[in-house]
Amino acid sequence: GAVVSQHPSWVICKSGTSVKIECRSLDFQATTMFWYRQFPKQSLMLMATSNEGSKATYEQGVEKDKFLINHASLTLSTLTVTSAHPEDSSFYICSARDGTGRGDIQYFGAGTRLSVL
Amino acid sequence: GQSLEQPSEVTAVEGAIVQINCTYQTSGFYGLSWYQQHDGGAPTFLSYNGLDGLEETGRFSSFLSRSDSYGYLLLQELQMKDSASYFCATDPGNTGKLIFGQGTTLQVKP
C-alpha cells in the first residue's frame, strides 16, 4: 500500500512556542491530506482537510489561526501548532486518500505525539 | 448527527474467534471501513465493504448490511499481536473525511 511519512514522531515544547509537523506521501501524489487529533483512549477526530495549492478547510470548532496548515506541494502538508499550550498536548496524525479514489481507504502517518510543558 | 457505535472493549483467548460490531447513523453512506491501531501507533487499513455481504482477507473478514446500518469485523485464529484498538469508519460525503467509531479495544489472552 501507499506510504505516508510523518515527522517528528515525538516533540516536547514549552508553552507559547510553535511546533511544525510534516506529512509526506512517499510514493504517490496526494492533492488532499487530512489531519486528525487523538486523545488517549479516544477516537480520531478530523481537524482539517489540507488541499494542495489552496486553503485548508477546518472542521467546526477547530481554530484555523491556532492550527496552521500548508500544502505547498503534491507530496507535503504541514501542520503548525502556534503558541502551543498544555491543552494542545495530543497525538496528531495525518492521512492521505488512496489513489483509487475510494475515500474510505486511507493511509496514515505514524503520528506525532506533542507534549506541551 | 453522524455516529458510529461499537463496543468499547472485547476480550478473547488466543486461537479463538471474535466479532466486533458497528452500527452507524450517517447522512450519507458509501461503505464501511475497518482500521487497526496498536497503542501509540498509526491506524492501518484492514478492510472495506462497499456492498452488502462478506469480505475476507486472510484471518480478517468484514460484513456489511446496509438495510440494518450494521457491520462487523471478524477476527479468526486470534494471536497475541491482534491485541489493539479496532475502529470502524465511514466517509458520508465521499470526500475523504472519515468519521470513526469510538474504537474497540481487543485484548487477546494466552
Side-chain angles (χ1 to χ4, degrees), chain A residues 15-73:
Chain A
S15 186
T17 60
S18 295
V19 174
K20 180 185 282 189
I21 302 169
E22 293 187 347
C23 180
R24 295 180 185 272
S25 56
L26 295 186
D27 53 358
F28 67 105
Q29 294 182 333
T31 56
T32 304
M33 292 185 177
F34 304 91
W35 287 95
Y36 294 84
R37 183 173 182 175
Q38 185 178 34
F39 290 107
K41 305 296 183 185
Q42 294 189 23
S43 189
L44 288 83
M45 296 297 295
L46 179 66
M47 298 174 65
T49 302
S50 174
N51 304 297
E52 188 268 334
S54 65
K55 291 183 178 180
T57 55
Y58 292 80
E59 296 302 301
Q60 192 172 10
V62 177
E63 300 175 59
K64 58 183 178 182
D65 294 330
K66 173 76 170 175
F67 299 100
L68 299 179
I69 291 173
N70 183 275
H71 195 148
S73 77

Side-chain angles (χ1 to χ4, degrees), chain A residues 34 36 38 42-44 46 49 59 91 93 97 101-106 108-110 113, chain B residues 31 33 35 37 40-43 45 48 87 89-91 94-98 100-102:
Chain A
F34 304 91
Y36 294 84
Q38 185 178 34
Q42 294 189 23
S43 189
L44 288 83
L46 179 66
T49 302
E59 296 302 301
F91 192 50
I93 314 174
R97 204 166 172 174
R102 288 165 57 181
D104 291 53
I105 301 175
Q106 295 200 15
F108 286 82
R113 190 161 303 281
Chain B
S33 298
Y35 288 82
Q37 186 182 30
F45 172 78
Y48 172 77
F87 295 89
T90 191
D91 177 12
N94 196 28
T95 59
K97 295 184 179 183
L98 285 176
F100 287 84
Q102 287 303 304

Side-chain angles (χ1 to χ4, degrees), chain A residues 89-115:
Chain A
S89 298
S90 187
F91 192 50
Y92 294 88
I93 314 174
C94 67
S95 75
R97 204 166 172 174
D98 176 76
T100 64
R102 288 165 57 181
D104 291 53
I105 301 175
Q106 295 200 15
Y107 299 95
F108 286 82
T112 298
R113 190 161 303 281
L114 172 63
S115 296

